[in-house]
């Protein structure tokens, strides 16, 4: 059993048990569950569990945010849940069109993303080595390493052919074969006369053609397996699918998909060309908000498709500063806070953000302190506006955070100028976020564990609010009423009374009295309404 076995057992238990898990995968910080019935989960329990940052329900997935060690937790969850290869039986539960789309995109691209990133970083580092004179771009070693780094992207239809077939519930080797057929060297950029028409296409580095072709192939695969006798369907089904789906994909679906990809690329470049600074403001400033709601995926996939086509993309360049803005804000909070629990959360969170993993910083530190989250969005926007102004683009897949730097290096381009401008953008983003957070962040005032009726709880220059009850003081989160527990009605405390007397927390006028008399609002002469209301249980 692994290091996180106990945590894995609790996670499985609170997602409704292993029988409620349809599929499981993970990204850099999250366990991504597809559940048969999300009503069986104990979300509040999971959110408050040691070892879990938060829970997000988005894009048809039940996402449990763990942190940088998610891969180890994932292995233990698979072991505890008996989920072979990270998957279980699929559910027939109907999803919304949006949820189905994001689930499909995640399932197709996530398995190859780590290797894709590694290959892209190797390409970027080679460009740096040539720039610094450490390696000649005419040497045999450079040629070998560059071709190795470029191989995955060149033969992307084979990779996506495998992963998309698996997602579409077709034999993945058949999907791989269709991808290889689209990529067959003798068919690339070659005039083919078929039925009186000349076809000349190339699918090197493409993504959309194989996905759409495999969608057709998977439909055929399932239909044929239902009607072809078991004794011959093992080889006869692949025969028919290859003979029909692959040519349709090569001659009809592929050219159409390439045209769609070209439209997407032109659309992004048109917006970027209209105003790179405005594009930086929007993408840089809103990227973290999009991450929270899970809608950033479509932008990321569009950028990947663009890179696969051999063209640079502004999208990854313009969201580059987001993780560093988070890092700077959380670092400032870590330096300034005297709350040891917050320090323990903030330390790994800002280190993770430096490496590109922002979820621990967002959900564990800045989002609960919304002013600090807004600061990170502004800091990211300022840095991204500079990136847009200088025309920096992303030229190949690379890592996240500091490991994204090789992505800005263009083979044969001016690496020194690119890195200088990236450094200035980071200085703007990090500088603003750190300074703004350091001078605006304050620890929340602590409340004594017991209160005496009439004792001062909070004092400022305007008014003193006293405890209305004698008893044990607890945080608002201890209240079962979610509106109070989540602070939706304002800051405050919960007091378990030790006697039956209730005192006014301020001198003032009763301005709100609910008909059932369970809630009272009092406005002080200064116009302050203590919140939350006094509420009986």
């Amino acid at each position: 059993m692994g290091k996180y076995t106990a945590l894995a057992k609790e996670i499985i238990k609170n997602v409704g048990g292993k029988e409620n898990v349809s599929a499981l995968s993970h990204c850099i910080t999250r366990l991504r569950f597809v559940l048969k019935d999300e009503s069986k989960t104990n979300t509040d329990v999971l959110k408050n569990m040691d070892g879990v940052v938060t829970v997000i329900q988005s894009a048809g997935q039940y996402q449990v945010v763990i942190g940088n060690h998610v891969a180890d937790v994932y292995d233990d969850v698979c072991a505890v849940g008996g989920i072979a290869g990270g998957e279980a039986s699929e559910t027939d539960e109907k999803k919304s069109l949006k949820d189905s789309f994001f689930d499909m995109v995640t399932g197709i691209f996530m398995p190859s993303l780590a290797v894709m990133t590694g290959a892209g970083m190797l390409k970027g580092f080679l460009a740096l080595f040539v720039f610094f004179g450490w390696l000649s771009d005419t040497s045999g070693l450079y040629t070998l390493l560059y071709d190795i780094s470029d191989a995955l992207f060149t033969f992307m239809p084979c990779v996506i052919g495998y992963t998309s077939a698996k997602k579409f519930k077709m034999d993945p080797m058949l999907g791989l074969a269709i991808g290889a057929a689209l990529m067959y060297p003798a068919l690339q950029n070659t005039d083919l006369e078929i039925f009186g028409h000349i076809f000349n296409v190339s699918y090197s580095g493409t993504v959309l053609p194989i996905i759409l072709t495999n969608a057709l192939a998977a439909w055929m695969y399932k239909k044929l397996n239902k009607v072809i006798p078991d004794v011959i369907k093992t080889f006869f089904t692949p025969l028919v699918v290859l003979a029909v789906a692959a040519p349709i994909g090569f001659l009809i679906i592929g050219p159409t998909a390439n045209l769609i990809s070209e439209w997407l690329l032109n659309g992004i470049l048109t917006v970027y060309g209209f105003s790179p600074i405005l594009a930086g403001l929007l993408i840089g400033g809103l990227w973290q908000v999009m991450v929270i709601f899970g809608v950033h995926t479509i932008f990321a996939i569009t950028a990947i498709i663009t890179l696969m086509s051999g063209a640079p993309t502004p999208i990854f360049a313009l969201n580059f500063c987001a993780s560093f803005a988070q890092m700077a804000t959380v670092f400032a909070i870590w330096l300034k806070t005297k709350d040891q629990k917050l320090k323990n959360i903030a330390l790994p969170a800002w280190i993770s953000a430096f490496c590109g993993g922002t979820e621990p910083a967002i959900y564990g530190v800045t989002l609960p302190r919304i002013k600090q989250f807004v600061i990170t969005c502004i800091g990211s926007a300022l840095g991204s506006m500079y990136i847009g102004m200088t025309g920096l683009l992303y030229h190949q897949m690379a890592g996240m955070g500091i490991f994204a730097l090789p992505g800005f290096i263009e083979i044969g381009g001016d690496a020194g100028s690119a890195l200088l401008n990236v450094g200035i953008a980071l200085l703007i983003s990090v500088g603003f976020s750190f300074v703004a957070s350091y001078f605006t962040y304050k620890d929340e005032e602590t409340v004594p564990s017991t209160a005496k009726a009439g004792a001062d709880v909070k004092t400022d220059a305007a008014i003193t609010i006293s405890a209305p009850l004698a008893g044990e003081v607890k945080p608002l989160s201890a209240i079962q009423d979610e509106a109070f527990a989540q602070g939706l009605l304002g800051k405050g405390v919960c007091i378990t009374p030790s006697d039956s007397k209730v005192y006014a927390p301020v001198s003032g006028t009763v301005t709100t009295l609910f008909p059932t008399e369970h809630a009272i609002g009092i406005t002080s002469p200064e116009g302050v309404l203590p919140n939350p209301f006094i509420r009986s249980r």
Side-chain angles (χ1 to χ4, degrees):
M1 303 300 280
K3 178 180 178 181
Y4 299 101
T5 298
L7 175 60
K9 288 180 179 178
E10 289 301 309
I11 291 174
I12 287 292
K13 174 184 175 182
N14 287 288
V15 297
K18 60 183 180 182
E19 63 279 357
N20 193 39
V21 179
S22 293
L24 172 62
S25 59
H26 75 87
C27 57
I28 192 169
T29 57
R30 310 181 188 190
L31 295 173
R32 296 175 176 266
F33 288 93
V34 177
L35 302 177
K36 297 176 183 178
D37 185 357
E38 288 194 8
S39 67
K40 295 181 179 179
T41 60
N42 297 314
T43 302
D44 290 338
V45 174
L46 281 167
K47 284 183 176 180
N48 293 306
M49 188 182 298
D50 288 341
V52 174
V53 177
T54 191
V55 174
I56 303 168
Q57 292 167 266
S58 175
Q61 295 180 337
Y62 192 84
Q63 303 173 17
V64 181
V65 182
I66 300 296
N68 294 334
H69 55 291
V70 65
D72 295 330
V73 177
Y74 167 82
D75 290 339
D76 286 349
V77 169
C78 287
V80 169
I83 305 173
E87 296 186 1
S89 60
E90 293 290 339
T91 178
D92 293 327
E93 180 185 358
K94 291 185 178 180
K95 301 176 184 175
S96 68
L97 184 62
K98 176 180 75 72
D99 287 349
S100 297
F101 172 76
F102 283 117
D103 179 60
M104 178 192 71
V105 167
T106 301
I108 291 173
F109 285 94
M110 194 60 67
S112 61
L113 197 56
V115 179
M116 197 186 306
T117 299
M121 289 180 67
L122 176 57
K123 190 182 293 188
F125 281 126
L126 285 174
L128 281 176
F129 294 161
V130 171
F131 172 77
F132 288 117
W134 300 340
L135 193 64
S136 170
D137 58 3
T138 60
S139 68
L141 179 60
Y142 173 87
T143 301
L144 174 63
L145 291 176
Y146 181 84
D147 289 350
I148 289 172
S149 69
D150 195 50
L152 178 70
F153 304 106
T154 300
F155 294 97
M156 186 56 66
C158 298
V159 178
I160 300 300
Y162 184 92
T163 60
S164 62
K166 196 171 182 180
K167 185 60 183 176
F168 294 147
K169 303 181 184 64
M170 179 177 72
D171 181 353
M173 294 306 297
L174 180 55
L176 173 61
I178 294 174
L182 295 185
M183 269 300 302
Y184 196 73
L187 297 177
Q188 309 303 300
N189 296 314
T190 300
D191 288 341
L192 298 174
E193 184 176 353
I194 301 175
F195 301 129
H197 295 279
I198 301 296
F199 296 87
N200 189 312
V201 292
S202 173
Y203 296 110
S204 176
T206 60
V207 171
L208 204 53
I210 182 60
I211 293 176
L212 297 180
T213 301
N214 268 359
L216 169 65
W219 177 82
M220 291 182 57
Y221 180 83
K222 294 168 188 174
K223 295 292 184 183
L224 290 171
N225 274 340
K226 291 180 179 179
V227 298
I228 296 177
D230 291 344
V231 69
I232 62 170
K233 72 179 181 182
T234 301
F235 60 87
F236 199 76
T237 296
L239 165 64
V240 176
V241 171
L242 279 172
V244 176
I248 291 176
F250 193 93
L251 301 175
I252 300 174
I253 296 176
T256 304
N258 279 344
L259 185 60
I260 294 172
S261 297
E262 186 176 342
W263 287 345
L264 288 172
L265 172 61
N266 289 337
I268 292 172
L269 293 181
T270 298
V271 174
Y272 181 78
F274 171 73
S275 176
I277 296 177
L278 178 60
L281 171 66
L282 294 176
I283 293 179
L286 297 178
W287 187 259
Q288 296 167 97
V289 178
M290 292 190 287
V291 168
I292 292 171
F293 289 101
V295 297
H296 67 299
T297 308
I298 184 61
F299 291 92
I301 296 305
T302 304
I304 291 173
I305 292 174
T306 303
L307 290 173
M308 296 307 98
S309 71
T313 177
I315 292 178
F316 286 149
L318 296 179
N319 70 38
F320 172 71
C321 291
S323 65
F324 292 96
Q326 279 287 339
M327 178 206 73
T329 286
V330 177
F331 181 66
I333 293 173
W334 176 70
L335 287 177
K336 195 171 182 183
T337 183
K338 294 179 173 58
D339 183 339
Q340 190 58 46
K341 181 178 180 181
L342 179 56
K343 274 188 177 292
N344 292 339
I345 295 173
L347 176 60
W350 71 256
I351 295 174
S352 174
F354 180 74
C355 298
T358 56
E359 281 93 341
I362 292 175
Y363 298 112
V365 183
T366 60
L367 194 59
R369 300 158 182 84
I370 192 66
K371 181 190 296 184
Q372 304 305 316
F373 179 77
V374 171
I375 286 173
T376 69
C377 293
I378 296 173
S380 175
L382 292 175
S384 297
M385 289 170 68
Y386 180 82
I387 285 178
M389 183 179 71
T390 55
L392 284 171
L393 296 173
Y394 219 69
H395 296 275
Q396 55 262 330
M397 283 295 297
M400 297 189 298
I402 194 64
F403 302 109
L405 285 175
F408 288 95
I409 308 303
E410 181 182 8
I411 300 295
D414 188 350
S417 176
L419 291 178
L420 175 62
N421 283 322
V422 170
I424 294 173
L426 286 181
L427 184 62
I428 294 170
S429 179
V430 170
F432 172 84
S433 300
F434 178 84
V435 171
S437 293
Y438 191 84
F439 286 104
T440 61
Y441 174 77
K442 293 181 180 179
D443 282 331
E444 294 183 4
E445 294 185 27
T446 57
V447 179
S449 60
T450 59
K452 179 180 179 181
D456 294 346
V457 175
K458 178 181 178 181
T459 302
D460 57 33
I463 188 173
T464 297
I465 299 175
S466 302
L469 295 164
E472 181 183 359
V473 177
K474 298 179 181 179
L476 276 183
S477 58
I479 300 177
Q480 294 182 357
D481 188 311
E482 290 190 7
F484 284 95
Q486 296 179 16
L488 300 180
L489 300 179
K491 296 180 180 180
V493 294
C494 165
I495 301 177
T496 302
S498 58
D499 61 43
S500 59
K501 294 181 179 181
V502 179
Y503 298 85
V506 294
S507 296
T509 304
V510 174
T511 52
T512 304
L513 179 62
F514 202 75
T516 59
E517 300 185 355
H518 78 281
I520 303 171
I522 302 174
T523 301
S524 73
E526 295 84 1
V528 176
L529 176 66
N531 198 8
F533 295 166
I534 302 169
R535 178 187 172 113
S536 61
R537 295 205 299 173

